[in-house]
């Protein structure tokens, strides 16, 4: 399996939602806590940490402040501890409906309340002491079985999901976590939901909904009967077993899903490593050898391409490109230039990658012409969730417009044609740009949007007007940004 952070376990961040649908918030002023926020933003994000050497107790750290939640003997709660002390230890008691009760370990009282009237002084659990866990990470990821060290894939032939992959390769390895009715569903790349008996269904029915549990930084999925998902049998079929407590077999890691792409050269053939280490545009179909995992360096914004054969593209003697490097270095980094529906790649020697007459790629050109341009197609996001600086993109209730500041998210469907993407939303309507840059979602015909992968995990979306889509103060999605930065970048 590749190194260099290619497959990284996600740091699990989440919000805690009380019985009145308000989020636990850590304020900078006075390090006070309240439950007043209607949506999940930076101040509402928390990280669960095990308390070293303290058994089953856990710590709640504010992502915003970097400080720990504490509850005193008098029930007063705050988020001011820079280092966790005894008052920071809590027990998490999952309830049958999936919510959590949080009990102070040293004092035995329960944490709850509303608005700015929070305390940890209740002796019994009422609805005011129950919290729903809402994950704050991007919901599209890879799922790794801790016990088998195998990735969960969709197996269309067997009509199931199985933990059987050595690598999270191809579109089948993408999972989308759907949050609804205080529980989570696992949605496959073909938009079906995993039921607890292992079947895939088209609707998120009760047996396809799970309660999330955390154990030592890992995730477990509990079904409506109190049993946990686990890989079963030689094939690793994912279904609920008999266990009512999560052991290693029932634990999973969520890992970041980097974009996987195919490239098409000017000869209309796919770039491939099928015939050896040389990267060449010589194939007529897109399979594993034509798929490359693309990772963007956060500092330089340059990208690497990792092949199915286990090597990074690297610049070699006389400008050749080979998929042979086991490590990221300067020679494996390529600068992307976005040219409408095409992309050009500049290697570390300062020259552009071109297609030679025999189809092989080489970084030997000083200028960009037809042979230096490629179509780049994202293949592992057939369904898409977008998050901006203020929240997720979601249909606006009672309107054909789109909000950009929501805690919940809608799943959109992508189709691709000649370097551009069409986006479909609820009811099958297409995205299109209306008057004054507004973006609507009920189009009968498709409008082309261009995707530009600008940062690690973030892309810019360009409308036919040449403007970029952004979220603004109004909370509406608009196509009126001149530069692909800040509010015009989307986590995908």
């Amino acid at each position: 399996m590749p190194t260099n952070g290619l497959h990284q376990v996600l740091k699990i961040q989440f919000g805690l939602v009380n019985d009145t649908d308000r989020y636990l918030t850590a304020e900078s002023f006075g390090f006070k806590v309240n439950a007043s926020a209607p949506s999940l933003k930076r101040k509402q994000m928390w990280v669960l940490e095990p308390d070293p050497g303290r058994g089953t107790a856990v710590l709640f750290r504010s992502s915003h402040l970097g400080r720990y939640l504490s509850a005193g003997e008098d029930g007063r709660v705050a988020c001011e501890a820079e280092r966790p002390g005894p008052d920071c230890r809590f027990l998490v008691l999952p309830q049958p409906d999936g919510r959590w009760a949080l009990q102070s370990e040293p004092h035995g009282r329960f944490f709850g309340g509303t608005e700015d009237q929070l305390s940890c002084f209740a002796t019994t659990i009422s609805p005011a002491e129950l919290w729903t866990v809402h994950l704050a990470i991007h919901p599209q990821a890879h799922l790794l079985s801790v016990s088998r060290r195998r990735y969960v894939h969709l197996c269309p032939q067997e009509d199931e999901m199985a933990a059987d992959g050595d690598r999270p390769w191809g579109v089948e390895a993408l999972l989308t976590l759907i949050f609804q009715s205080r529980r989570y569903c696992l949605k496959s790349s073909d938009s079906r939901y995993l039921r607890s008996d292992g079947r895939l269904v088209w609707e998120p029915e009760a047996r396809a909904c799970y309660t999330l549990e955390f154990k030592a930084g890992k995730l477990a999925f509990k079904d409506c009967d109190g049993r946990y998902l686990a890989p079963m049998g030689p094939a690793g079929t994912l279904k609920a077993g008999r266990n009512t407590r999560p052991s290693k077999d029932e634990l999973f890691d969520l890992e970041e899903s980097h974009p996987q792409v195919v490239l098409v050269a000017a000869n209309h053939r796919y770039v491939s490593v099928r015939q050896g280490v040389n990267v060449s545009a010589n194939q007529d179909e897109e399979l594993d050898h034509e798929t490359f995992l693309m990772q963007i360096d956060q500092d330089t914004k340059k990208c690497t391409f990792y092949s199915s054969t286990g090597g990074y593209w690297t610049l070699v003697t006389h400008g050749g490109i080979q998929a042979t490097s086991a490590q990221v270095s300067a020679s494996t980094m390529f600068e992307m230039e976005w040219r409408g529906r095409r992309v050009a790649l500049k290697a570390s020697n300062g020259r552009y990658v071109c297609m030679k007459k025999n189809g092989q790629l080489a970084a030997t050109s000083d200028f960009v012409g037809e042979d230096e341009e490629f179509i780049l197609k994202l293949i592992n996001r057939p369904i898409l969730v977008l998050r901006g600086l203020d929240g997720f993109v979601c249909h606006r209730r009672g309107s054909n417009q789109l909000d950009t500041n929501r805690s919940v998210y809608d799943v959109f469907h992508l189709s691709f044609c000649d370097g551009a993407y069409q986006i479909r939303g609820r009811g099958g309507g297409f995205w299109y740009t209306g008057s004054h840059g507004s973006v609507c979602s009920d189009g009968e015909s498709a409008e082309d949007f261009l995707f530009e992968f600008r940062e690690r995990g973030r892309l810019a979306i360009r409308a036919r007007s040449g403007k970029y889509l952004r979220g603004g103060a109004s909370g509406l999605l608009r196509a009126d940004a001149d530069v692909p930065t800040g509010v015009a970048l989307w986590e995908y």
Side-chain angles (χ1 to χ4, degrees):
M1 198 176 294
T3 55
N4 296 309
L6 207 55
H7 300 303
Q8 291 186 331
V9 177
L10 289 166
K11 181 175 67 174
I12 303 296
Q13 297 185 82
F14 55 88
L16 290 171
V17 191
N18 72 359
D19 191 50
T20 60
D21 290 324
R22 291 295 186 264
Y23 288 81
L24 179 63
T25 302
E27 300 288 1
S28 303
F29 181 74
F31 304 112
K32 296 179 180 180
V33 293
N34 62 61
S36 304
S39 60
L40 177 58
K41 295 185 180 178
R42 197 161 55 101
K43 290 183 179 181
Q44 289 76 42
M45 293 184 187
W46 299 84
V47 177
L48 193 71
E49 297 181 359
D51 189 21
R54 297 287 183 175
T56 56
V58 296
L59 311 168
F60 289 89
R61 178 170 56 82
S62 165
S63 298
H64 164 55
L65 298 176
R67 300 190 179 217
Y68 292 88
L69 184 70
S70 65
E73 188 175 3
D74 60 358
R76 190 183 76 88
V77 290
C79 190
E80 58 187 335
E82 294 185 25
R83 291 184 176 83
D87 285 350
C88 299
R89 300 201 304 270
F90 291 87
L91 300 175
V92 174
L93 306 179
Q95 303 300 297
D97 66 355
R99 289 185 287 180
W100 287 0
L102 307 181
Q103 184 180 32
S104 168
E105 191 208 47
H107 309 303
R109 302 298 180 96
F110 295 98
F111 173 49
T114 58
E115 301 290 335
D116 57 356
Q117 303 297 314
L118 299 183
S119 69
C120 191
F121 207 65
T123 56
T124 59
I125 301 171
S126 74
E129 283 74 47
L130 293 177
W131 300 89
T132 296
V133 180
H134 186 180
L135 289 182
I137 60 175
H138 192 278
Q140 294 185 293
H142 302 307
L143 195 63
L144 177 69
S145 166
V146 171
S147 62
R148 299 204 179 194
R149 305 308 300 171
R150 293 291 183 272
Y151 290 93
V152 173
H153 282 74
L154 170 67
C155 306
Q157 297 83 4
E158 288 76 25
D159 208 32
E160 64 184 22
M161 288 188 191
D164 63 352
D166 292 331
R167 294 169 301 154
W169 208 259
V171 64
E172 288 82 10
L174 180 73
L175 290 177
T176 303
L177 291 171
I178 303 297
F179 182 65
Q180 65 171 38
S181 302
R182 301 183 182 271
R183 295 176 188 261
Y184 279 88
C185 302
L186 292 174
K187 195 171 190 176
S188 65
S189 58
D190 66 356
S191 296
R192 289 187 288 174
Y193 299 88
L194 177 66
R195 212 166 69 173
S196 57
D197 62 0
R199 290 185 55 196
L200 295 169
V201 294
W202 291 106
E203 297 296 331
E205 57 191 69
R207 301 191 69 83
C209 296
Y210 305 91
T211 300
L212 283 188
E213 290 191 9
F214 297 85
K215 185 176 180 180
K218 312 297 182 183
L219 282 178
F221 298 87
K222 184 170 71 173
D223 75 357
C224 56
D225 295 323
R227 300 177 303 153
Y228 293 84
L229 286 182
M232 300 287 184
T237 302
L238 204 60
K239 62 173 69 174
R242 296 180 179 178
N243 287 351
T244 55
R245 288 190 176 182
S247 66
K248 188 175 181 180
D249 287 340
E250 287 77 31
L251 296 181
F252 297 88
D253 277 325
L254 276 179
E255 291 191 354
E256 184 178 1
S257 174
H258 293 288
Q260 294 180 22
V261 300
V262 297
L263 295 100
V264 181
N267 62 358
H268 307 295
R269 291 193 165 189
Y270 290 96
V271 174
S272 176
V273 290
R274 185 177 298 274
Q275 295 178 338
V277 298
N278 290 318
V279 182
S280 302
N282 59 8
Q283 296 299 313
D284 295 321
E285 57 183 352
E286 51 175 273
L287 298 173
D288 278 0
H289 287 92
E290 291 71 48
T291 298
F292 301 96
L293 192 149
M294 184 174 72
Q295 188 174 12
I296 299 176
D297 180 76
Q298 194 58 47
D299 295 325
T300 65
K301 306 300 187 284
K302 294 180 179 180
C303 70
T304 60
F305 295 95
Y306 188 83
S307 74
S308 62
T309 56
Y312 291 94
W313 289 17
T314 186
L315 181 68
V316 296
T317 308
H318 307 305
I321 306 294
Q322 295 184 345
T324 56
S325 180
Q327 301 290 331
V328 172
S329 65
S331 62
T332 67
M333 305 295 288
F334 296 84
E335 182 181 343
M336 286 188 287
E337 291 186 7
W338 299 99
R339 306 174 64 84
R341 293 173 178 262
R342 304 291 187 267
V343 62
L345 302 172
K346 185 183 286 187
S348 57
N349 63 358
R351 294 190 164 184
Y352 290 98
V353 176
C354 70
M355 179 195 65
K356 296 162 65 175
K357 289 183 178 180
N358 63 359
Q360 289 186 7
L361 302 192
T364 56
S365 296
D366 293 317
F367 304 99
V368 177
E370 184 177 332
D371 288 339
E372 288 75 31
E373 289 188 330
F374 299 86
I375 297 173
L376 187 146
K377 175 186 175 183
L378 176 69
I379 63 110
N380 65 331
R381 291 295 188 279
I383 53 179
L384 183 72
V385 174
L386 293 173
R387 181 166 68 173
L389 294 180
D390 297 316
F392 289 101
V393 175
C394 187
H395 289 93
R396 172 164 284 198
R397 192 170 300 171
S399 170
N400 66 347
Q401 294 184 308
L402 296 155
D403 283 323
T404 63
N405 57 1
R406 300 285 295 277
S407 295
V408 295
Y409 41 84
D410 279 334
V411 176
F412 302 98
H413 293 259
L414 281 188
S415 52
F416 180 85
C417 181
D418 189 32
Y421 298 83
Q422 296 86 42
I423 308 171
R424 284 184 295 115
R426 191 182 300 162
F430 288 97
W431 284 23
Y432 65 96
T433 49
S435 58
H436 308 295
S438 62
V439 179
C440 304
S441 61
D442 60 348
E444 294 184 2
S445 58
E447 179 177 327
D448 287 342
F449 292 89
L450 306 181
F451 284 10
E452 300 178 2
F453 303 94
R454 293 283 181 169
E455 294 184 3
R456 178 177 176 139
R458 287 172 170 79
L459 58 80
I461 303 175
R462 196 171 190 176
R464 61 184 176 186
S465 63
K467 301 287 187 178
Y468 292 94
L469 272 56
R470 70 169 180 89
S474 67
L476 285 175
L477 185 63
R478 302 184 60 81
D480 59 6
D482 293 318
V483 293
T485 57
V487 292
L489 286 177
W490 303 96
E491 193 176 352
Y492 64 98

